Amino acid sequence: MNAVNHMIQPSQPPTVSAFCLPSLFIISQLKQVIETMIGKSVQRKSLMRRVEASDMFEEVDEKAITGKSQAQLYKLKPGVNIVNFERNLSV
C-alpha cells in the first residue's frame, strides 16, 4: 500500500486534506489538495456538486481576492470527516 492510499482510507481518522488546507479556503485550493491526494484530475463542476451535496462545508461571509475576481471562502463544518468525500471522488 502506498502512502497516498494509506492516507485516504476511511480507517485513518485525522483527515489529511483538512491539515493541508487553511481554515478558510476556496474551492480551487480544495480541488488541488484532492487531486494531489488521489493522483488524478477532478472536474470543477463535479467537485462543486459534491461540495454542495455533501453538507460537509459551509460558506463564510468573506471572499478571497484571486487576481481580478473574488472567490467564495469555505470552511469545514465541525466534526466532519473529509476522507469519505475524497474516496467518492477517487472511484
Side-chain angles (χ1 to χ4, degrees):
M1 172 183 307
N2 70 32
V4 172
N5 287 338
H6 183 71
M7 289 189 301
I8 62 175
Q9 287 193 6
S11 62
Q12 302 302 317
T15 55
V16 175
S17 60
F19 295 111
C20 296
L21 289 168
S23 58
L24 300 179
F25 56 89
I26 60 176
I27 293 299
S28 61
Q29 291 171 310
L30 175 63
K31 181 178 183 291
Q32 183 178 21
V33 168
I34 290 172
E35 288 176 339
T36 300
M37 291 182 71
I38 66 175
K40 65 181 182 179
S41 187
V42 175
Q43 289 185 353
R44 184 177 174 84
K45 192 172 185 176
S46 295
L47 178 61
M48 284 305 301
R49 278 196 303 267
R50 290 175 189 260
V51 164
E52 291 167 358
S54 72
D55 200 34
M56 297 176 144
F57 309 92
E58 55 188 34
E59 292 182 359
V60 296
D61 293 331
E62 297 176 48
K63 304 277 185 188
I65 305 298
T66 57
K68 294 183 180 180
S69 61
Q70 295 184 356
Q72 178 64 53
L73 282 167
Y74 293 83
K75 67 179 182 178
L76 285 173
K77 289 184 175 180
V80 163
N81 186 346
I82 196 170
V83 169
N84 295 326
F85 183 81
E86 293 161 0
R87 285 180 54 82
N88 289 338
L89 286 170
S90 64
V91 174

